[in-house]
Amino acid sequence: MITTITIFIPLIGAILMLLLPEQERPLRYAALAVAAVPLLLTLYIYFAYGSGLGVPSLTQDFDWIPSLNMGYRVGLDGLGFGMFFLTALLTLIAVVASYDVRENLKQYFAILFIAEVGMLGVFASEDLILFYIFFEITLIPMYLLVGIWGDQNRRQAAIKFFVYTFLGSTVMLAGFLAFGILAGTYAMDSLTAGGGLGRTAQIAIAAPILFGLLIKVPAVPLHGWLLDVYVSSPISTNVVLSGILPKLGTYGLIKVAIPLLPEGVEPFLPYLAAFGVINIVYGAFVAFLQPDLKALVAYSSIGTLGFILLGAASGNAVGLNGAVLQQVTHGLYSALLFVLVGVIAARTGTRRIRELGGLAARMPWAGGLLALGAMAAMGLPGLAVFVSEFMSIMGGYEAFPVQGVLAALGIVLSAMYLLYMLARVVFGPIERPAYEAIEDAGPMEMAAAVPLAVLLVLFGVFPALLVSVQRPGVEAVLSAIGGG
Amino acid sequence: MVTGQTFVALLPELVAIGFLIGVLMVGVFFQNSIGLVAGLAALGTLAVFGSAAGLLAAGFEGEYFGGGFVVDNFALYFKLIVAGSAFFAVLAAARWSGNTGDAPEYLTLILAVVLGSILLVSMRDLFGVFLAIELATIPSYAMVAFDRRRRESAEGGMKYLITGVVASSVLLYGIVLIYGVSGSAQLDDVARTFSGGLTPVALLGLVLLLSGFAFKVSAAPFHFWTPDAYQGAPTSAAAFLSVAPKAATFAILLRILLEGMPEAAPTWTAVMAFLAILTMFVGNLAALRQRNVRRMLAYSSVAHSGYILAAFAALQGQGTGRAVEAVLIYSAAYAFMNIGAFLVIDLVGEEAKSFNGLFRTRPALAASMGVFMASLVGIPPFSGFWGKAWIIFSGAQSGSVLVYVVVGALVVNSVISVPYYFGIIRNMFFEKPTLDAAEPPGGGAVKFSVYALALLTALFFLLIVPISALAGGSGLG
């Protein structure tokens, strides 16, 4: 029951937002209160049940449409819990960081909370159709968030995002339906190991599902929608957009495609790993060429998602654990970077890297945190991403040595462009006289950034905080695919 | 033999006739009280709805007039859809027809279409089918042409009339040929004829019958009257006619095919598969190019006929029962979202740019239209998703490669339809307002309808289980 409550609390919050009068301060406080509830519930779940979240726990299950064997089935396991927590956290951060949203505030929060319902639902679904429904529920809110509150290019970006991801998810649905009809149920726990289907059938079903999920990730070359959307969004939307949405794709791989269709996915695994490497290398090179700070962060995101693909494709304990963990750590650092890009852009009036410089002198906090975020993105030891990236590469190397080595080279590439970015933006002489007068991040901005930075350090030093919860879930996947 | 039970069986029809006469009479004696007339007409549709619901709840079933008229769950369900759609059409019509001074006549026409449509779904005799179709169609020609002040209205009505008459002739010709072969027009006798294999004459009859129906439901390549008729028609007429008589026509087609010619299923499912694919593509590709929202919705209604025809193509193998359910679910889902979308046009205007910035000026209306558009695309959890999902389910269960192709085309078409439906959402939410924020007076009843329909569209998933249970007990499939 607590799972269902956590998923649907934001829906009540959304309705509440619409009923409130259009007054900025009370609205912001109310939104903070609403966003805090799922996070508190998630923390409660962590402390009360954390170690027991191996197989789906805290489940709720009733037959919804019995004639089709379709049910409302939700629960939390080690694979989903981290993302459940991250969703609740980043939604709260997005509310804190929503100072760049000035118009139609109540609608903004309402739509954000509806998106949260969809995201939380995906990470708790134990039924394929329910998974799809929640997956799609995120679509329209994201379309609206980008399209209404984004910058000049927002309309085109929003429609591009929608058409790409709707195409992907519709194809994915076709795969789900075929799977459910052939296997006789949509319940994930009864579908493990292919639901009794033969290898050919599994491959035929896995192909459309993988296609849909990879568009969502997005895996290069299916990433055409990403840059426009990331660059055009308001910062607070970026936090959710980059932190959570791509994980709907990677989580689907780890939770649905790989354990439920092991034989069907198996022939695709080397390609998944290759996609991962392409993401890493391509993302790094393209990021290096970006004149826009936000675009640079967006492409660095594409690169990091590659590690998740690689780890997921490895099919061994180390790689999978790395992938699951990387989903959370990537969310933390990309949200942090986007928040800080927003702070810098608001102060200096530009996001062009060549027009920035020497900000550390005037903005020690923002600059320092940007440096911390960039170091996390490089995978520096002591920060959370190091652990997950290292595990993904180790696992990937074990399964696919060529891809593993190339991925390791990707770390060098990412260090290259991130250091370049830091040198240009944060250090060096002050680029423009006008920057002498700018102020450091304010209390609200710090409130959005600092928790993320703290968690990056905390999970870097004590990765066991997360790994212990996720391990049983990973072991379940391993036993489904016959590895260990 | 006509007994008391017969009257009970005919209750919805009798109620409709009673109110039809009542509205006309009251209109004559109280010329100026549009409110009274409209109230009476609305009450009439509710009474038809209530009587059908009562029969359904009581589990009333039976055959009358020598088996030519049947009351079963299937028929009663479609009577509910027709009467429910008519209720919203009346609410919308009251506002518009009040200005023209012809309210009683227009409302009477709506009730006449209701009468024809609810008779239609109960027919088990091909000649009865023909009469009921004509009873539903002839008033609809008048409804389309009713707005005398607009040239398009007359033009649309004329086009609709001419093609409609041709379609009726083709349909009647088909019925006569089938009658000639069977020696009877009752579906049981027809079924016996078709069980012995298709003779050339029977095949010709079947093809003509299907062509006639294809005209009536605006399936490509017989769809060309649709955009002109729906664009010219008063909005309430377009909303109502694109939903209620169409649903009834699909329902009776389903009955004829399943009860009258099950043995010929391989033939007609193949025809349906072909029609479905063609109709989906023609409707969607044409809708993509429209700038006028009403015309866009007219083409979109062609596309949606294609989706329903996909369910007809799936009426084979294990998919049959599920396909019947799909038609039931889709009809209700489509009624909610399509009437809702048309009514928003009634309030906002039919040019795409009149929707600009609606979110800023009238957020609730914009949100409702957003729900309708998303639902028409087929995005969960809205009603349109469930309609399409059920068609895909039935297709997947049918076990036929051709049907898989049809289902594939449906998926592709859903994606093709995104830009034009979401174009409206884009205009409403992303553009600056061009419309004056001050709302025109009136339209309270229409607004009520829009919000009610938006709610039904959004919460449709609560109705899925009862509807599919009803389909299971419908006796068809």
Side-chain angles (χ1 to χ4, degrees):
Chain A
M1 196 63 190
I2 189 168
T3 315
T4 298
I5 293 173
T6 314
I7 296 171
F8 287 103
I9 283 268
L11 184 64
I12 298 169
I15 297 167
L16 182 75
M17 285 295 131
L18 293 176
L19 297 177
L20 288 175
E22 184 83 61
Q23 282 174 305
E24 190 174 337
R25 271 183 170 278
L27 264 178
R28 289 193 190 276
Y29 287 126
L32 280 177
V34 168
V37 178
L39 184 62
L40 291 176
L41 286 169
T42 313
L43 289 175
Y44 166 76
I45 292 171
Y46 179 80
F47 289 112
Y49 308 96
S51 53
L53 293 174
V55 287
S57 322
L58 305 171
T59 54
Q60 191 167 25
D61 185 337
F62 65 85
D63 284 341
W64 183 10
I65 304 169
S67 68
L68 292 173
N69 306 310
M70 201 185 282
Y72 175 85
R73 306 183 179 99
V74 293
L76 281 175
D77 63 7
L79 302 177
F81 178 78
M83 290 312 300
F84 208 70
F85 161 72
L86 188 70
T87 304
L89 174 73
L90 290 192
T91 309
L92 181 65
I93 299 283
V95 171
V96 177
S98 64
Y99 33 73
D100 62 336
V101 176
R102 302 238 172 271
E103 282 179 35
N104 299 316
L105 203 57
K106 58 196 246 182
Q107 283 93 345
Y108 183 85
F109 289 134
I111 293 172
L112 181 69
F113 290 144
I114 292 174
E116 189 184 10
V117 173
M119 293 184 289
L120 290 173
V122 165
F123 299 124
S125 290
E126 292 293 332
D127 181 280
L128 288 180
I129 300 296
L130 198 64
F131 179 91
Y132 170 78
I133 290 173
F134 280 125
F135 198 88
E136 290 291 81
I137 284 178
T138 60
L139 212 52
I140 297 177
M142 280 300 157
Y143 172 77
L144 295 176
L145 289 178
V146 176
I148 300 176
W149 288 277
D151 66 9
Q152 303 88 342
N153 190 30
R154 61 185 195 273
R155 297 180 192 86
Q156 204 198 343
I159 196 84
K160 210 177 196 181
F161 162 76
F162 196 91
V163 172
Y164 260 95
T165 51
F166 183 67
L167 171 70
S169 48
T170 311
V171 171
M172 182 182 82
L173 174 68
F176 282 175
L177 290 177
F179 193 15
I181 287 167
L182 290 175
T185 179
Y186 296 95
M188 290 186 192
D189 59 352
S190 345
L191 285 172
T192 320
L197 300 180
R199 185 180 160 84
T200 319
Q202 282 196 37
I203 292 174
I205 294 166
I209 294 178
L210 289 176
F211 174 76
L213 294 172
L214 289 179
I215 282 192
K216 199 79 172 185
V217 171
V220 179
L222 304 173
H223 66 295
W225 58 271
L226 179 128
L227 184 67
D228 283 354
V229 178
Y230 277 29
V231 173
S232 307
S233 303
I235 293 296
S236 44
T237 303
N238 274 134
V239 168
V240 178
L241 198 60
S242 73
I244 311 289
L245 273 205
K247 311 320 176 352
L248 300 187
T250 55
Y251 175 78
L253 276 180
I254 298 167
K255 170 81 185 181
V256 178
I258 292 172
L260 302 190
L261 292 158
E263 289 183 62
V265 173
E266 199 237 315
F268 296 106
L269 288 179
Y271 301 101
L272 275 183
F275 270 129
V277 173
I278 292 170
N279 263 44
I280 295 167
V281 175
Y282 172 87
F285 272 114
V286 181
F288 193 66
L289 298 173
Q290 293 306 314
D292 183 315
L293 189 55
K294 204 167 168 188
L296 182 142
V297 174
Y299 274 106
S300 95
S301 223
I302 290 199
T304 313
L305 290 165
F307 290 106
I308 305 181
L309 288 178
L310 178 67
S314 73
N316 53 47
V318 183
L320 273 171
N321 265 311
V324 175
L325 187 61
Q326 177 92 342
Q327 295 193 92
V328 179
T329 57
H330 167 259
L332 294 174
Y333 96 74
S334 74
L336 176 64
L337 288 181
F338 275 117
V339 167
L340 293 165
V341 169
V343 173
I344 290 170
R347 293 294 185 286
T348 60
T350 181
R351 290 197 312 248
R352 296 188 70 81
I353 295 172
R354 56 184 305 158
E355 294 171 8
L356 295 166
L359 296 180
R362 291 284 126 212
M363 308 174 76
W365 276 103
L369 287 170
L370 186 71
L372 180 85
M375 285 191 282
M378 284 176 233
L380 225 62
L383 295 168
V385 189
F386 167 73
V387 187
S388 52
E389 235 165 60
F390 183 73
M391 289 164 89
S392 296
I393 294 175
M394 286 301 289
Y397 178 78
E398 206 174 294
F400 309 106
V402 179
Q403 284 93 324
V405 170
L406 289 172
L409 284 178
I411 292 194
V412 180
L413 293 174
S414 69
M416 178 183 76
Y417 74 81
L418 286 162
L419 288 173
Y420 161 79
M421 182 274 286
L422 282 180
R424 285 288 323 173
V425 174
V426 181
F427 304 110
I430 289 185
E431 180 74 23
R432 293 187 170 183
Y435 296 166
E436 295 283 2
I438 57 177
E439 287 175 10
D440 205 352
M444 281 301 272
E445 293 160 330
M446 293 297 281
V450 168
L452 295 167
V454 169
L455 286 176
L456 278 171
V457 175
L458 183 68
F459 292 143
V461 181
F462 302 109
L465 289 174
L466 282 173
V467 176
S468 64
V469 178
Q470 74 185 37
R471 185 174 288 134
V474 171
E475 275 160 11
V477 174
L478 287 170
S479 76
I481 61 178
Chain B
M1 200 178 75
V2 177
T3 62
Q5 238 204 347
T6 316
F7 285 102
V8 179
L10 281 168
L11 198 58
E13 286 79 6
L14 293 172
V15 168
I17 294 173
F19 275 94
L20 194 154
I21 297 170
V23 168
L24 205 54
M25 287 298 153
V26 170
V28 171
F29 292 114
F30 302 92
Q31 286 267 334
N32 294 323
S33 49
I34 290 140
L36 180 68
V37 180
L40 193 64
L43 193 65
T45 55
L46 286 180
V48 174
F49 188 93
S51 54
L55 291 179
L56 194 60
F60 193 91
E61 287 193 355
E63 293 190 1
Y64 303 88
F65 305 111
F69 182 91
V70 60
V71 177
D72 56 14
N73 286 350
F74 180 77
L76 289 171
Y77 176 78
F78 278 98
K79 290 178 194 196
L80 291 180
I81 291 184
V82 169
S85 313
F87 172 70
F88 291 111
V90 168
L91 290 189
R95 170 167 177 258
W96 169 80
S97 62
N99 304 331
T100 67
D102 300 321
E105 289 79 358
Y106 187 72
L107 296 170
T108 310
L109 289 175
I110 294 183
L111 288 174
V113 177
V114 169
L115 178 61
S117 303
I118 59 178
L119 269 172
L120 180 59
V121 294
S122 277
M123 286 299 164
R124 290 202 71 228
D125 177 290
L126 290 179
F127 289 113
V129 166
F130 181 74
L131 286 177
I133 283 191
E134 290 308 292
L135 184 54
T137 318
I138 292 170
S140 47
Y141 302 141
M143 280 176 73
V144 169
F146 205 83
D147 194 351
R148 291 167 310 203
R149 292 164 304 173
R150 286 170 62 227
R151 206 173 56 83
E152 301 99 307
S153 183
E155 192 184 314
M158 201 61 194
K159 211 170 211 176
Y160 188 20
L161 174 69
I162 293 169
T163 52
V165 169
V166 174
S168 299
S169 324
V170 172
L171 178 63
L172 187 59
Y173 197 17
I175 289 175
V176 168
L177 287 180
I178 292 169
Y179 171 73
V181 181
S182 314
S184 159
Q186 273 216 10
L187 293 185
D188 296 333
D189 303 319
V190 172
R192 234 164 281 138
T193 309
F194 276 88
S195 66
L198 278 176
T199 64
V201 180
L203 183 64
L204 183 62
L206 174 61
V207 169
L208 290 175
L209 180 96
L210 292 181
S211 306
F213 271 109
F215 261 110
K216 297 286 180 195
V217 299
S218 52
F222 309 107
H223 67 288
F224 45 83
W225 58 271
T226 316
D228 293 318
Y230 291 172
Q231 193 186 8
T235 312
S236 57
F240 179 59
L241 297 177
S242 66
V243 168
K246 216 182 205 175
T249 311
F250 274 119
I252 195 63
L253 182 58
L254 197 57
R255 192 189 286 283
I256 293 174
L257 294 176
L258 286 177
E259 293 187 351
M261 37 196 81
E263 310 278 339
T267 309
W268 53 254
T269 48
V271 175
M272 289 299 181
F274 168 74
L275 280 180
I277 293 177
L278 191 65
T279 307
M280 286 189 270
F281 277 106
V282 166
N284 277 316
L285 292 177
L288 269 179
R289 294 201 307 268
Q290 305 305 320
R291 290 291 163 272
N292 180 298
V293 182
R294 200 201 295 233
R295 209 171 166 78
M296 181 274 276
L297 275 185
Y299 276 112
S300 115
S301 85
V302 173
H304 285 269
S305 285
Y307 301 146
I308 296 196
L309 288 170
F312 276 78
L315 286 166
Q316 47 184 295
Q318 291 188 323
T320 309
R322 195 73 71 208
V324 173
E325 280 178 40
V327 176
L328 291 167
I329 289 174
Y330 206 99
S331 301
Y334 186 60
F336 296 144
M337 61 192 177
N338 208 47
I339 296 181
F342 268 115
L343 293 191
V344 175
I345 293 180
D346 198 24
L347 291 170
V348 175
E350 58 187 60
E351 292 301 321
K353 66 173 187 296
S354 44
F355 282 85
N356 284 2
L358 196 66
F359 173 61
R360 309 275 172 85
T361 52
R362 301 179 208 168
L365 202 57
S368 305
M369 189 64 166
V371 168
F372 299 136
M373 293 293 117
S375 180
L376 284 163
V377 174
I379 292 169
F382 304 124
S383 67
F385 163 71
W386 296 101
K388 279 188 188 163
W390 238 264
I391 292 170
I392 299 176
F393 287 139
S394 59
Q397 282 179 315
S398 70
S400 145
V401 176
L402 181 60
V403 180
Y404 296 160
V405 174
V406 176
V407 169
L410 187 148
V411 170
V412 171
N413 271 282
S414 299
V415 179
I416 296 178
S417 74
V418 169
Y420 67 82
Y421 291 125
F422 271 72
I424 305 291
I425 297 189
R426 186 194 61 211
N427 287 2
M428 293 192 300
F429 288 85
F430 304 169
E431 302 289 342
K432 289 205 168 58
T434 49
L435 206 67
D436 197 354
E439 290 187 43
V446 185
K447 257 192 271 175
F448 161 79
S449 309
V450 167
Y451 300 147
L453 288 164
L455 213 57
L456 285 168
T457 302
L459 300 179
F460 189 76
F461 57 89
L462 300 175
L463 299 175
I464 293 281
V465 174
I467 295 178
S468 84
L470 201 73
S474 71
L476 284 174

